Amino acid sequence: MMPQFLLAFPLLLWFLQGGSSCLDCDRRFLDSVATVLKERLPEDLTGRDTLIERQIKALADLHGTFLRNDYERVLDVRRVMALKSDIIHQLREIKKQPWKGVFLWQLSMYHFRVSLREKMKQTLEQFADLACSEDCTVTEGPVLDCWTCLRIATQCFDGELCGVEDERVAEHKEINLYVFLVCESVVLSSVLLVYLVCFKHKKKMLQKALAR
């Protein structure tokens, strides 16, 4: 099993960088995506280069933006390569579609990313089930830490990487929740008390005014 403190520095680095992803780790893959997109978009299209850059960024940020659970952090390299191959294949299929304008093309790319996000989530969960199982002995090939783009030798995982919350973290959250509820109760009670005092005072003043 992988000691949790070994992931402390990469985790800090990930927060400072704003998050990475399995797709963002391979520059050659992103270059291949750019090539397919350039072949698809007409050369005289206004803002063509900017549009391509935005599509590549949206694709590269897909993992880091939507799949940020600890158990969605690691994936074996074999599955990463399979995802990349499938992405290039799907982009080439979109390329074969008749050109009907840039807006419909962007819509096709959006639907593609939504579908890809679901597939990535399923792939990450399947690997987590394998690597976090009690009878885990070895996974197929090296494993990629998608948050830091580093290959790690560990084959089986436990703790937060398997969706199991650390006891100290869970206890800290419970304490914070208790303190919040206590503070909320104090504030609400204070507001109610002030309201009652003001209401009672106003009632007395009204009674005095009527008595005159």
Side-chain angles (χ1 to χ4, degrees), residues 11 29 32 42 53 73 88 96 101 108 110 127 170 172 177 184 203-204 206:
L11 180 59
F29 164 71
S32 298
E53 290 177 2
R73 173 175 180 172
I88 296 298
K96 293 179 182 178
S108 297
Y110 169 76
F127 177 74
H172 181 68
L177 178 61
E184 185 180 36
K203 184 177 180 181
K204 287 182 178 180
L206 181 61

Side-chain angles (χ1 to χ4, degrees), residues 165 167-179:
E165 191 172 41
E167 293 182 1
R168 290 172 298 179
V169 175
E171 183 179 355
H172 181 68
K173 288 183 177 180
E174 289 180 2
I175 293 174
N176 287 341
L177 178 61
Y178 174 76
V179 172

Side-chain angles (χ1 to χ4, degrees), residues 135-153:
D135 57 347
C136 172
T137 55
V138 62
T139 54
E140 300 181 17
V143 177
L144 179 67
D145 183 345
C146 296
W147 289 4
T148 63
C149 295
L150 298 176
R151 292 194 181 191
I152 51 182

